[in-house]
Amino acid sequence: MESMKRFHIAIIGSGVAGLSLAYFLAKKGAKRVLLLEQEKRLGLHASGKNAGMIRQVVTQEAIGRLALEGATFLRTRPPEWKVPYHSCGSLLLAKGKEKETLHRAASLAQKIGLGMRWLSVKQSIERVFVLKRADFEEALFCPTDGIIDIHALLRGYYEEAKEKGIEIWMGAKAQSIDADGEGGFKLSTSRGKVRAEILVNAAGAWAELIAQRAGASPISFRSYRRHLILSKPLKKVEPHWPFVWDMAHAVYFRPEKGGLLLSPCDQDPLPPGGCPADRSLAWGRLKERLVYFPMLPKISIRRIWGGLRTFSPDDNFCIGWDGSLKNFFWVAGLDGHGMTTSSAVGELASDLLLGRRIDRKMAEHFSPRRFQTGRVEEGD
Ligand SMILES: Cc1cc2nc3c(=O)[nH]c(=O)nc-3n(C[C@H](O)[C@H](O)[C@H](O)COP(=O)(O)OP(=O)(O)OC[C@H]3O[C@@H](n4cnc5c(N)ncnc54)[C@H](O)[C@@H]3O)c2cc1C
């Protein structure tokens, strides 16, 4: 008969959410923790396919707080992690009605103590000369924003979590999940059977599916494909440029590998999965937006890919105990901020799981119970 391995906590998903949580659990002394990942390699989904921009100026205060904490962690990361952080800053551009959104984000950022400043059009062009004749009216510069090497970051969390005793099974898909009636879970995985007292859903775009399998409260997540386009090397690009995000025309670009990494900020609904790119659609959308930057050099495509950004029903993160299924915990819906906030998400989730002192207001703000009407059992 096949033996069943027993764990205190099993985490489903080794994206940045699951990895960061595993790392902080281990750091805080948690024992018998298993991390399950269906893929054989790290970073095959959102966490390995994103733009790596660490952006702290956002439109929701609570996410802004996590972004500030997350960015500070990344800037002062442990040296042995070998995770390059490029402190290039960011330049957020707006015109027309987007100015109001940018002003709102700036006042939220100011309230939480983030340093930034408004630049005139002339000052913006001095920083990034291809902004000459671009179509914007206001620019906000945040000097502590930057770029992270996303694969090195995933590897950093992975190595440290493993070092500190977390068991990690790659190529192990959680197939059936049965709540065993005693507040625990039996899982069959492609690498054997597992029993865990606590189950964590960090499955990114698959989070709703995992909850369904376990019999947790239904929360409808939406996942949207966003394309990234890497250009061939370009003579005019200077590697020290901040990343430029034009909110009015929905496009961003930043230096990468001697060229530019760009996105038309598109969002097409797509089910969980491999997220294939639609090259001509992406390129067509990007070209439409680049007319607002007449000084940008002509782009030749080196590579195009797509990744899924996953949103909860109110576009806010979903971190905490389920409202109806005992011992089922969520870390999902990190939308477009998962890399920036990863360490803060891992800190908060691990504190909640370990029953440590936490900022109650933050915990309530992110709690999945806000969507749930079912009976609440005290898993925490
Ligand atoms: C194009 C793009 C650009 C982005 N740019 C940025 C940016 O510049 N800055 C930023 O902060 N954020 C950015 N993001 C957002 C960021 O990438 C996400 O918020 C983050 O990666 C989400 O991490 P996750 O761990 O929740 O999901 P994922 O990385 O998708 O991880 C979930 C994991 O769960 C696994 N899984 C699912 N089901 C099972 C199962 N049954 N058994 C075992 N394993 C399972 C999957 O295989 C997957 O590896 C961007 C996203 C995209 C798509």
Side-chain angles (χ1 to χ4, degrees):
M1 210 174 81
E2 198 183 351
S3 69
M4 179 165 317
K5 285 200 83 171
R6 288 169 184 269
F7 293 90
H8 179 44
I9 302 175
I11 305 168
I12 300 178
S14 79
V16 80
L19 284 168
S20 158
L21 172 60
Y23 165 72
F24 281 102
L25 280 173
K27 201 169 162 222
K28 292 170 189 174
K31 302 276 180 258
R32 297 195 299 123
V33 179
L34 171 69
L35 179 60
L36 289 168
E37 169 55 50
Q38 64 185 352
E39 306 289 358
K40 291 204 171 99
R41 285 192 290 123
L42 288 181
L44 291 188
H45 299 290
S47 301
K49 297 170 97 182
N50 62 78
M53 297 183 300
I54 303 307
R55 173 179 161 177
Q56 300 161 88
V57 181
V58 297
T59 50
Q60 291 194 48
E61 183 181 332
I63 293 180
R65 288 185 190 279
L66 297 185
L68 183 64
E69 189 185 324
T72 307
F73 174 86
L74 292 173
R75 283 202 311 279
T76 56
R77 68 224 170 269
E80 63 276 15
W81 280 39
K82 299 193 186 74
V83 181
Y85 184 80
H86 178 38
S87 282
C88 53
S90 65
L91 200 50
L92 306 185
L93 309 180
K95 74 170 280 191
K97 65 176 172 37
E98 286 305 325
K99 285 199 289 194
E100 198 189 312
T101 314
L102 186 57
H103 277 269
R104 196 160 27 90
S107 22
L108 285 179
Q110 197 169 27
K111 187 173 162 199
I112 62 176
L114 177 67
M116 74 227 135
R117 60 184 180 274
W118 292 97
L119 299 187
S120 66
V121 168
K122 185 167 170 278
Q123 287 168 324
S124 308
I125 296 168
E126 278 161 13
R127 268 180 198 276
V128 184
F129 76 89
V130 291
L131 294 182
K132 203 169 165 185
R133 294 176 32 222
D135 185 32
F136 68 102
E137 290 164 358
E138 294 200 326
L140 184 68
F141 178 64
C142 178
T144 53
D145 277 354
I147 306 295
I148 195 83
D149 178 329
I150 55 174
H151 295 286
L153 179 64
L154 298 180
R155 185 54 53 188
Y157 283 131
Y158 174 92
E159 298 291 354
E160 288 295 314
K162 212 166 167 181
E163 240 275 310
K164 290 180 169 41
I166 304 290
E167 196 156 328
I168 306 181
W169 294 3
M170 299 300 291
K173 180 172 181 171
Q175 287 154 334
S176 67
I177 304 172
D178 296 307
D180 67 9
E182 297 158 37
F185 298 87
K186 282 184 191 145
L187 278 76
S188 72
T189 83
S190 38
R191 283 187 51 181
K193 292 200 170 170
V194 168
R195 186 181 187 284
E197 286 139 43
I198 292 172
L199 186 62
V200 179
N201 182 2
W206 290 262
E208 188 174 345
L209 209 72
I210 294 296
Q212 255 169 31
R213 272 185 210 158
S217 310
I219 301 179
S220 300
F221 287 83
R222 293 158 288 133
S223 42
Y224 295 105
R225 176 180 58 198
R226 174 158 290 179
H227 285 102
L228 290 175
I229 298 171
L230 179 64
S231 80
K232 290 187 178 154
L234 295 162
K235 280 208 182 83
K236 283 188 184 170
V237 170
E238 295 172 10
H240 63 265
W241 284 352
F243 65 80
V244 175
W245 195 315
D246 177 353
M247 295 165 64
H249 303 108
V251 60
Y252 61 69
F253 61 86
R254 67 167 180 81
E256 174 76 18
K257 295 189 166 63
L260 287 174
L261 180 70
L262 314 98
S263 175
C265 294
D266 47 351
Q267 32 190 32
D268 301 306
L270 233 68
C275 191
D278 185 330
R279 288 174 60 89
S280 61
L281 186 72
W283 179 230
R285 285 174 174 164
L286 184 67
K287 276 199 300 192
E288 275 168 20
R289 287 150 171 85
L290 291 187
V291 297
Y292 300 107
F293 296 88
M295 296 295 284
L296 264 183
K298 194 170 171 299
I299 306 284
S300 305
I301 304 170
R302 182 162 158 183
R303 196 157 83 83
I304 299 186
W305 67 95
L308 291 177
R309 293 151 74 242
T310 301
F311 295 80
S312 78
D314 61 1
D315 294 351
N316 189 12
F317 294 1
C318 197
I319 305 170
W321 296 104
D322 188 73
S324 58
L325 182 61
K326 194 172 174 179
N327 291 341
F328 186 89
F329 191 94
W330 296 77
V331 191
L334 303 188
D335 57 59
H337 306 291
M339 306 315 286
T340 308
T341 58
S342 67
S343 69
V345 166
E347 279 275 17
L348 175 64
S350 56
D351 279 347
L352 284 164
L353 274 162
L354 298 175
R356 292 194 169 194
R357 278 174 69 88
I358 37 125
D359 177 340
R360 280 255 147 241
K361 233 174 113 189
M362 281 291 259
E364 274 166 25
H365 185 82
F366 293 119
S367 169
R369 289 176 176 171
R370 68 191 187 275
F371 303 120
Q372 299 165 334
T373 49
R375 191 163 60 90
V376 175
E377 291 200 41
E378 288 304 307
D380 38 347

